[in-house]
Each structure stands twice: as C-alpha cells, then as structure tokens.
Amino acid sequence: MSSSPASHLHLAVALDGTGWHPASWREPVARPGDLLTAGYWADLVAEAERGLIDFVTIEDGLGLQSSHYGEPDGRTDQVRGRLDAVLIASRIAPLTSHIGLVPTVIATHTEPFHISKAIATLDYVSTGRAGLRVQISARPNEADHFGRRTFPPIDLAGLRSPAGQERLAEHFDEAADYVEVVRRLWDSWEDDAEIRDAATGRFIDRDKLHYIDFEGSRFSVKGPSITPRPPQGQPLVTALGHQTVPYRLIARQADVGYVTPQDGADARAILAEIRAEQAAAGRSGDTVHVFGDLVVLLDDDAATAEARKDRLDALDGGALTSDARIFAGTAARLADLLEEFAAEGLTGFRLRPAVLGHDLPRITRDLVPELQRRDRFRTAYEADTLRGLLGLARPANRYAATA
C-alpha cells in the first residue's frame, strides 16, 4: 500500500441537496429539478473525483430538513426531501474508480444488522471504497416515524443542561454500541470462509463463520452476518462531533472524526481532548484522523465571495449560520487557512460547498491546484481503497486471530 507524503492533507467534500446555503437551490447553477435523479449525484461525485478528493459524504436524515434544531420548521422556501444516502452511494459506486463514498446512517432508529450488510455491499460494489458517517437522532418527530420509542422535546439550550448532557450521552453510548455491532458483523466471516469448490461441492467453510454474541443495553445481536467480509475488512467509520460526548464516540469507534474549530487554538484544544479520550478508550496506537469542517464560498476575490453570500442571505431572509466556520474568499486564502489548521494537528478537512454547482468546481479546479503547488495535496490517487487513501492498513479479522 502506497501512502501520501506526511505533508499532504486529506480532503473530503460534504454533499447535501444543492449546497449548504439554504438559498443555494435558487442559484442558476443549482439544478433543483434534478435533485432526485441519479445523474445529479453522479455528476457531483465525478467532479469531486476529478479533483482527487479522498471521499464524499452524503447527508441523510429521518425527518424533513429543518432550520430549527429539534423540530420541523414548516418552511416551504428551502429544499425539503431527499433520497436515501446509502442507495445513492450504491448507485454512484460503479460510475467511479477511486473516490470514497461515505453515506450518513442514523444509528438511533435503524438496525445495525441491516446497516452492516448495506455498507458491506457498498464496499463490494465500489471494490473497497465504502464508509459510513454515523449520526444520532434525538428529535421526537423522528422517533414518531417508528413508534418504538418516545423522546421529549429537544433544543440546544436544554442539551447544555446536566440532564440534556446525560440524555445526549445515552444516545452516543448507543451509537458506540451500534458501531461495535456493525464492526463485529463485518468480521463475522473470515476472509477465506468461502471455498467455492465445485468439484468437492464445498462452497463455504462453516467453521470460519462466527457468532458475535453482542449483548448491550439496546442491542442483542447473535450474528453472523449474511454478507461475507467486505473487501476493506472494515469500511471507514466516521462521525461529527462538537463537544466532549461526541468526541468520545470518535475516540472509541471512528477512523475519521469531523470537528468544527473556529480558529487554530480551538483546533488544538479539540484535538487534545480527542486524543485524551482515545487513550482512555485504549486506542492510543490506532490512527484516528481528525478533519476540520468548513462551509466554503469561493470566488476570484474576497469581495465577490462576500457579495455572493450577502445576496444568498437576502434571498433566505437572514444571515447564514452554521456549526462550522464559514469561509468566503479566494482559494489561495482558503489554502492558507487549511495550512494554519493543519499546523495544529488536523490531518484533513471536510469542505461543505455553499452552492454545490459553483463551489464544488472551485474546490476541485482552484483549491486543489493551489494545494498541489504548495505540495500539500496529491497529484494522483495513490491507493485503490478508501482505507489505503487515508494510510489505514486493512485490519486483521478479530475472530480469525482467536480461532
């Protein structure tokens, strides 16, 4: 497995609707009429792959998009409705060759057995380029879709209270168990469990399929999977975190964590907290990439980018807000900012284009060449798998090692 020079940064692009600005769909380049077509998503990922991007993430959810944190907002002037992220990734996989595909999955209301085989299947369809972004849902309206659990109303202020933090910890502990089940199921077939010998009539070696026998507070899963071990062994697990509770999930279970620092000092403090949690989880020896998330508006000069943001803000009826830092300016200045963050220890970045039709090509055609000129980004894909692109070895099977 070849790997990038240590000086090289990793780049991911977050795909969501027509872009991360709520008024993005009203731009001439936005193609809102194509949102529910395979061709729309294929074009976006093809553009990202032309830019040698490590992977794309695809947003998803179990309720309509909302400008309110914990409930529907009733707005009809923003994009509402979406396709299933895992199915989009599976449709796009055969059309791509190198880029990783990382759909969002909601751990709170979906079964880990189903997701394990869906992502294992994506890994087969993409020949080793699959991952997942694990997310929780604490919204009562989303719980109501399933009828198995009821959640009290939620808002950001309530989440910051001790009771809110305890509730959040329960959700993220459940997500950690969820990922553990998924990971064990991926390992429940040894790599050589399939014999496929027509002459002897032996297709499978039953001794190389393993029960996972997971017992937790929320899940009881026996296994084995019905899907053989994925090509990567363990597809990529990623998660977004904004504070200690989700940082703990990143440290315990993720290969890549996305964080939202506002400046270099913030990045340094977040990284220190994640590394401490990693040590507490007994994973000090594991590579866990930490990517900084940024919303980006890129143009030839800063004034044009700011003016575009102001125009979009006016269309939406208010200034753009985000959990992540919002950058409006040139590709060269963004490259400066990424290098500043990288100096604090971040190994990559997940960029959220404000308007996909405008800002994604600016990332691939302006930012990437600028980073290449600085010898901070690859000039060709150097591995055939997503783990390989990120310098992560294919892990040994936990059950084969003890069999």
Side-chain angles (χ1 to χ4, degrees):
M1 179 194 303
S2 61
S3 60
S4 304
S7 62
H8 281 187
L9 302 173
H10 295 287
L11 287 182
V13 170
L15 304 180
D16 187 20
T18 56
W20 288 81
H21 196 294
S24 59
W25 70 278
R26 300 173 72 174
E27 290 288 88
V29 295
R31 299 172 60 190
D34 295 337
L35 262 178
L36 304 185
T37 67
Y40 173 81
W41 296 94
D43 290 346
L44 293 177
V45 179
E47 180 63 40
E49 189 168 59
R50 272 194 290 272
L52 307 176
I53 300 299
D54 290 76
F55 61 90
V56 294
T57 61
I58 305 168
E59 296 300 300
D60 209 343
L62 298 175
L64 287 178
Q65 300 97 317
S66 176
S67 58
H68 297 166
Y69 180 77
E71 61 186 2
D73 61 4
R75 290 186 71 156
T76 58
D77 63 336
Q78 297 176 351
V79 170
R80 295 293 181 264
R82 53 174 30 126
L83 300 177
D84 182 275
V86 175
L87 294 179
I88 291 173
S90 293
R91 177 65 182 86
I92 300 311
L95 308 178
T96 56
S97 302
H98 294 95
I99 196 167
L101 302 165
V102 180
T104 297
V105 301
I106 314 300
T108 311
H109 299 293
T110 54
E111 294 295 333
F113 188 90
H114 292 156
I115 290 300
S116 75
K117 68 188 184 73
I119 301 300
T121 299
L122 177 60
D123 210 40
Y124 276 103
V125 172
S126 65
T127 59
R129 295 179 287 117
L132 64 84
R133 179 192 157 217
V134 64
Q135 185 174 308
I136 65 130
S137 168
R139 296 177 177 89
N141 65 297
E142 295 181 7
D144 290 346
H145 293 322
F146 298 90
R148 294 196 293 263
R149 306 161 73 176
T150 56
F151 296 152
I154 187 173
D155 59 44
L156 285 172
L159 276 184
R160 295 188 183 104
S161 70
Q165 287 293 296
E166 185 177 339
R167 179 179 167 195
L168 203 62
E170 290 174 4
H171 281 295
F172 277 97
D173 285 345
E174 177 184 4
D177 280 356
Y178 184 99
V179 176
E180 180 64 21
V181 172
V182 169
R183 286 192 179 281
R184 289 191 195 186
L185 287 167
W186 286 335
D187 276 351
S188 64
W189 290 54
E190 294 186 36
D191 289 317
D192 55 353
E194 290 181 276
I195 302 166
R196 305 179 191 173
D197 188 342
T200 63
R202 294 185 72 210
F203 188 88
I204 196 167
D205 183 345
R206 187 62 186 80
D207 292 336
K208 295 192 174 184
L209 270 62
H210 300 278
Y211 296 119
I212 70 166
D213 290 326
F214 182 90
E215 294 285 347
S217 61
R218 184 63 62 180
F219 305 110
S220 175
V221 181
K222 189 168 185 61
S225 178
I226 64 166
T227 306
R229 194 171 193 235
Q232 293 183 101
Q234 292 278 318
L236 200 72
V237 174
T238 76
L240 172 66
H242 302 102
Q243 52 159 292
T244 299
V245 171
Y247 294 161
R248 194 171 296 137
L249 172 66
I250 291 168
R252 288 164 65 184
Q253 287 288 8
D255 302 299
V256 177
Y258 315 115
V259 298
T260 53
Q262 298 301 308
D263 55 36
D266 202 13
R268 187 164 60 250
I270 291 169
L271 201 63
E273 187 169 1
I274 290 175
R275 296 305 181 218
E277 292 286 355
Q278 208 180 320
R283 294 188 70 205
S284 293
D286 295 351
T287 298
V288 177
H289 286 288
V290 181
F291 282 21
D293 268 26
L294 295 101
V295 178
V296 296
L297 299 97
L298 295 175
D299 285 289
D300 290 336
D301 58 76
T304 303
E306 291 284 0
R308 183 160 60 94
K309 178 181 175 298
D310 291 344
R311 180 170 52 77
L312 288 165
D313 287 350
L315 283 172
D316 193 51
L320 175 64
T321 61
S322 175
D323 56 320
R325 177 164 168 170
I326 300 167
F327 175 89
T330 66
R333 178 64 193 107
L334 179 57
D336 291 341
L337 182 61
L338 300 188
E339 290 195 303
E340 290 168 24
F341 276 127
E344 303 299 343
L346 298 182
T347 49
F349 299 90
R350 187 175 71 138
L351 304 179
R352 308 179 190 178
V355 179
L356 278 164
H358 178 106
D359 295 300
L360 176 57
R362 288 284 183 159
I363 290 168
T364 58
R365 303 174 195 191
D366 294 351
L367 176 65
V368 165
E370 177 65 28
L371 290 171
Q372 288 169 335
R373 277 192 290 274
R374 303 179 187 203
D375 195 27
R376 299 307 303 267
F377 196 67
R378 66 172 63 87
T379 55
Y381 281 113
E382 61 282 274
D384 295 326
T385 69
L386 179 51
R387 293 187 70 91
L389 288 178
L390 294 169
L392 301 172
R394 187 179 190 274
N397 185 308
R398 74 192 70 195
Y399 298 111
T402 59

